[in-house]
Amino acid sequence: MSNLEPIIKLAGVTKSFGAVQVLKGIDLHVSEGEVLVVIGASGSGKSTVLRIMSGLETADSGQVWVNSVPLHDPRRAREIRGHVGMVFQQFNLFPHLTALGNVTLALLKVRKLSAEVAKKKALAVLDRVGLAEKAGNYPSQLSGGQQQRVAIARALAVEPTIMFFDEATSALDPELVGEVTSVMRSLADEGMTMVVVTHEMSFARKTADRVVFMDQGIIAEQGPPEQLFVRPQNDRTKQFLQRVLEV
Amino acid sequence: MAVLGYLGDISEAALLVLKITVLAFLLAVVLGLAAAVGRNSRFRILRFGAGVYVEVIRNTPVLLQIFVAYFALPNLGLNLNAFEAGVLALGVNVGAYLAEVFRAGISSVPKGQVEAAAILGLRSLDISIFVVFPQALRNVYPAVVNYLVQILLGTSLLSAIALPELTGTATTINSRTLIFLPVFTVTVLVYLLLSNVLAALAGIIGRVAFKPALVLPRGSVLSRMRLLKVNAVRGEVNK
């Protein structure tokens, strides 16, 4: 963890969907290079926090600064696009494009690179996730784990300052989870700032710098993984961990 | 076989039918896309205009629309010959139906696709062109091909404005020769040939234009019959 100004700052963030208040005041700082893992039961608001940080949702109130962009300001929120990467539970790969096409699209249309440079760069990123030889395959011709690794490559290609992972392994068959978490771990080792919403407790334990436990729209407890997993202070944290770890 | 003497007229009529079908279809696709985009537009006036177009056309008979194009438009200073009026009426008619098909196709693309593209930094026009439309068109392609065949069959209505298309030509030959059965038999065969040629072409385009290749669920009459046979055999095996 660095001592610099936090790269993500949330202060008093609330969000409602209709009558349901999913976030009831979130204060959270993430430092550059930090790997923050967010855990909690479904409906606790963890995905919503991530979607607000990535600019896909706007907070009803409070302040959200990401990479020095004020996301709470609707006139400036768009500035974050192209500077953060997001990996979705359902991959959201473009089915009509090959793995290579998925990765090059933003390089061509946003970065305005030439086709040749974009291709070279995309192949390098695909190689980083171990899929350079699948560059010509369409998503439907890849396994779930491979699709998610292409999605990671697509996000990495634009050289984001922060990577968000929204339950990136939840839709995968258990035997395919490992190939995705190992790519995520190597990213963490390289110093990428990451915010990871996950149900993979072993990933949280081994890779997180800090774990946040969310419960009913608030941050119930946070701390380094050894503290949160071994000596949880909050009763709700204890109950949650008992339920997910006893399997 | 007296009908053989009229094969020249019949093939000329068939060519005319093909010409009208292709032109009306192109017009319908352009109008349909425009109306679909219009109905999803931010601007109320575009939403309203597209809505009026779709509702008026879909709730009035196509024969009336043909008559309007041929007989009423001249009152507005727009003089169209039967061919032009036919292309216009059929294109405008099917365009209204395609608008709904395209709209359904656009909303069939999952929201996550747009989110993934937006977060990468793509502008909304680029998202539409490179992410949403290709998937939407793929999803509705079989339905669009059905409308192509609808236009082909709809050209028969143009006999009402004295266009020498296939059905009209057949009745003309009949009234001259009174050999109904052979003439209608040939006419039916020509329609079958035309619709199957169009469907086969559409199938080839689907396989080439869409990636990964799109295989139409229903091909020509022949391939449908082959499918039936395969299914029948499978049924036997399952017993």
Side-chain angles (χ1 to χ4, degrees), chain A residues 60-172:
Chain A
D60 293 339
S61 65
Q63 293 210 334
V64 184
W65 291 86
V66 177
N67 206 20
S68 305
V69 178
L71 292 182
H72 49 272
D73 180 350
R75 285 164 303 173
R76 295 195 53 196
R78 293 184 57 89
E79 293 171 24
I80 197 64
R81 301 200 165 161
H83 298 285
V84 294
M86 177 84 154
V87 179
F88 300 86
Q89 181 177 0
Q90 298 302 337
F91 322 143
N92 292 347
L93 285 180
F94 307 131
H96 59 296
L97 300 176
T98 59
L100 186 70
N102 268 275
V103 181
T104 50
L105 184 63
L107 297 176
L108 296 170
K109 299 299 162 198
V110 183
R111 292 293 140 90
K112 311 279 184 200
L113 300 181
S114 71
E116 198 185 339
V117 176
K119 185 179 174 185
K120 210 170 148 193
K121 191 163 176 164
L123 285 174
V125 190
L126 281 171
D127 190 44
R128 207 164 142 192
V129 299
L131 287 174
E133 81 281 9
K134 299 281 184 189
N137 287 46
Y138 288 92
S140 58
Q141 300 164 329
L142 299 171
S143 73
Q146 289 170 335
Q147 288 186 53
Q148 194 60 298
R149 281 149 67 200
V150 172
I152 293 174
R154 177 176 71 176
L156 285 176
V158 297
E159 294 170 0
T161 49
I162 307 164
M163 283 286 283
F164 297 108
F165 293 85
D166 188 5
E167 303 197 19
T169 56
S170 298
L172 296 176

Side-chain angles (χ1 to χ4, degrees), chain A residues 51 54 56 78 81-82 84 86 88 92-96 105-106 109-110 138 140 154-155 158, chain B residues 110-124 126 130-132 134-135 211-212:
Chain A
R51 288 172 61 82
S54 60
L56 288 177
R78 293 184 57 89
R81 301 200 165 161
V84 294
M86 177 84 154
F88 300 86
N92 292 347
L93 285 180
F94 307 131
H96 59 296
L105 184 63
K109 299 299 162 198
V110 183
Y138 288 92
S140 58
R154 177 176 71 176
V158 297
Chain B
K111 203 173 122 224
Q113 292 286 312
V114 175
E115 290 184 346
I119 227 169
L120 286 168
L122 272 78
R123 294 174 309 147
S124 38
D126 282 337
F130 298 107
V131 176
V132 176
Q135 297 182 57
K211 304 286 175 195

Side-chain angles (χ1 to χ4, degrees), chain B residues 156-174:
Chain B
S156 65
L157 293 168
L158 300 178
S159 58
I161 53 173
L163 192 77
E165 47 64 59
L166 194 50
T167 304
T169 302
T171 47
T172 311
I173 297 170
N174 275 335

Side-chain angles (χ1 to χ4, degrees), chain B residues 80-212:
Chain B
L80 300 178
N81 61 33
F83 176 84
E84 292 161 346
V87 169
L88 180 70
L90 292 179
V92 166
N93 178 268
V94 171
Y97 290 90
L98 284 183
E100 294 299 277
V101 170
F102 289 139
R103 195 158 70 125
I106 289 169
S107 55
S108 74
V109 177
K111 203 173 122 224
Q113 292 286 312
V114 175
E115 290 184 346
I119 227 169
L120 286 168
L122 272 78
R123 294 174 309 147
S124 38
L125 185 65
D126 282 337
I127 295 176
S128 292
I129 295 174
F130 298 107
V131 176
V132 176
F133 287 171
Q135 297 182 57
L137 284 179
R138 181 194 175 90
N139 289 347
V140 300
Y141 189 70
V144 172
V145 173
N146 274 344
Y147 278 106
L148 174 66
V149 177
Q150 288 294 311
I151 294 181
L152 176 80
L153 305 182
T155 56
S156 65
L157 293 168
L158 300 178
S159 58
I161 53 173
L163 192 77
E165 47 64 59
L166 194 50
T167 304
T169 302
T171 47
T172 311
I173 297 170
N174 275 335
S175 59
R176 235 179 281 157
T177 61
L178 302 179
I179 49 169
F180 295 98
L181 189 60
V183 171
F184 279 140
T185 305
V186 170
T187 310
V188 164
L189 289 176
V190 173
Y191 273 118
L192 281 176
L193 177 74
L194 290 178
S195 66
N196 279 285
V197 165
L198 283 181
L201 272 177
I204 291 168
I205 291 171
R207 269 188 293 264
V208 175
F210 293 102
K211 304 286 175 195

